[in-house]
Amino acid sequence: MSSDAHDRVRPGDLPAMAFTILSEAFFDDRGRSVPFQLRDKRNTQDDPFDEYVADLLHEQLPTGAIVLRADKPLVSPDAVIARPEEYELLRQGGVDYDPGAIFGLEVKKVDLGRNGKPARSTGLDYNSTPPCATVRVYAEDGNEIRIPGFYLFVALQGNEEGGMVQVHSMALVAGAALNKDVDLYDRITGTRTKQIGLGTYGDGANRVRPMLLFSNPLGWEWMLGTATLISERNDLADDPSLAHVRDMTRTVSPGVSELFHCYRLAKLSPPVEETAHNPFPQPSKRKEETAQRGRFEIDLRTLTLG
């Protein structure tokens, strides 16, 4: 990315700026994936790709922009990205900030299957934190602050040459396109009651930890093999580096839909396509009952004793 790339994005469009940086890092001028080296994974919860993304943004966002990574595992969002003036407001516990100049970034990765499609295309694990239009962060004084949430979806593909990897498909999606139910977010992420004193000897506990499944935008075939920004804003094509390529809707209830706007890098000359309605796939056979856990089956018909 050129040294003046950030000047192509109007002030306040920080998610669009981040999208441009990541798109130009992961895809070349013809839209082909660019292989890159990730460091080795140190432990189960270590995430080299999340670190790589944060480093890219730290290096290429305008001087003074803040990229704060979560200080421990299992924290959401993975990073907070802000312009200096917005970060200072947060640091002081203020809430009068520009929502376009600060956002929480959560990274969701899936492998590319042998069929050329991302894994978990009809429903992705969000662990114990549902996606949301806004996410909670905390100022130094402990005050809770709501900032916009964005979700970076990537389908990673391995390259056997030197352990390199590449991004096959990428989408930076406003949390509002995944879920706008703030009450659900608060209820799931709030304080829960743990069951303790379980078992014969009373030393067992049940954390009663939720496990959330929501849409995987990369299950929409139109998203494959390229980078796409999905935003509530309809004016991001005012920036010459971005092209508005189509709109999409998600149905809330009969007759009620939410409208979102899709952007790609303008230099790739993407065609403009018609509005897509409810393009994110959903499981067709989802049911309320969970599968039985830890089921060990023995076929007594073929069992022989020595």
Side-chain angles (χ1 to χ4, degrees):
M1 187 174 183
S2 63
S3 59
D4 64 343
H6 63 269
D7 294 331
R8 298 199 301 263
V9 182
R10 297 184 300 107
D13 295 334
L14 198 56
M17 188 183 301
F19 171 77
T20 302
I21 290 171
L22 296 176
S23 298
E24 294 186 344
F26 295 139
F27 297 90
D28 66 16
D29 288 344
R30 297 176 62 185
R32 299 172 301 189
S33 295
V34 177
F36 58 96
Q37 181 79 52
L38 283 181
R39 65 166 177 78
D40 292 337
K41 192 178 177 77
R42 300 188 184 109
N43 55 58
T44 302
Q45 295 175 347
D46 184 35
D47 205 319
F49 182 76
D50 291 16
E51 180 182 287
Y52 190 86
V53 166
D55 287 346
L56 276 174
L57 295 177
H58 176 73
E59 292 168 2
Q60 300 193 36
L61 282 170
T63 302
I66 308 296
V67 179
L68 295 176
R69 293 188 63 211
D71 59 358
K72 56 185 176 181
L74 305 179
V75 170
S76 180
D78 292 314
V80 171
I81 298 155
R83 295 183 184 275
E85 59 274 18
E86 310 306 326
Y87 176 73
E88 185 61 24
L89 286 173
L90 285 183
R91 193 184 66 80
Q92 296 174 5
V95 295
D96 187 20
Y97 58 86
D98 177 0
I102 182 170
F103 67 99
L105 179 66
E106 183 75 13
V107 182
K108 308 296 292 183
K109 302 173 298 300
V110 295
D111 293 328
L112 192 70
R114 293 183 178 180
N115 61 358
K117 297 182 179 180
R120 307 302 301 272
S121 61
T122 60
L124 192 61
D125 290 341
Y126 288 75
N127 299 316
S128 58
T129 304
C132 195
T134 60
V135 296
R136 280 194 304 240
V137 296
Y138 296 86
E140 290 181 354
D141 60 5
N143 282 347
E144 176 187 302
I145 302 167
R146 305 274 180 164
I147 63 174
F150 274 77
Y151 295 78
L152 178 67
F153 297 88
V154 294
L156 284 179
Q157 186 174 23
N159 187 325
E160 295 180 359
E161 297 179 7
M164 304 287 279
V165 298
Q166 59 195 62
V167 173
H168 175 273
S169 307
M170 179 191 108
L172 182 61
V173 181
L178 301 166
N179 171 49
K180 298 184 76 171
D181 189 342
V182 176
D183 289 340
L184 172 68
Y185 174 88
D186 289 346
R187 187 167 67 253
I188 295 294
T189 60
T191 302
R192 297 186 301 274
T193 300
K194 181 169 56 178
Q195 297 174 348
I196 60 175
L198 303 181
T200 302
Y201 307 106
D203 54 0
N206 180 4
R207 292 185 295 174
V208 196
R209 182 185 178 192
M211 178 60 71
L212 283 300
L213 299 174
F214 274 82
S215 294
N216 178 2
L218 294 184
W220 180 13
E221 289 197 11
W222 178 75
M223 306 275 272
L224 299 184
T226 189
T228 308
L229 170 64
I230 298 179
S231 174
E232 293 179 280
R233 296 189 61 162
N234 64 2
D235 61 348
L236 295 182
D238 291 348
D239 161 36
S241 68
L242 295 178
H244 175 232
V245 292
R246 77 187 311 173
D247 291 331
M248 59 162 275
T249 64
R250 298 207 68 189
T251 299
V252 177
S253 60
V256 179
S257 296
E258 295 285 346
L259 177 66
F260 300 94
H261 310 281
C262 304
Y263 301 88
R264 289 177 175 167
L265 292 180
K267 65 183 178 182
L268 299 178
S269 301
V272 178
E273 302 187 43
E274 63 182 14
T275 299
H277 300 288
N278 297 314
F280 298 166
Q282 296 181 358
S284 58
K285 298 181 179 179
R286 180 169 289 173
K287 56 184 181 180
E288 293 184 353
E289 297 81 7
T290 62
Q292 193 173 8
R293 303 281 294 185
R295 184 182 177 94
F296 191 118
E297 295 186 353
I298 301 174
D299 188 350
L300 297 177
R301 296 170 299 176
T302 60
L303 184 64
T304 58
L305 301 177

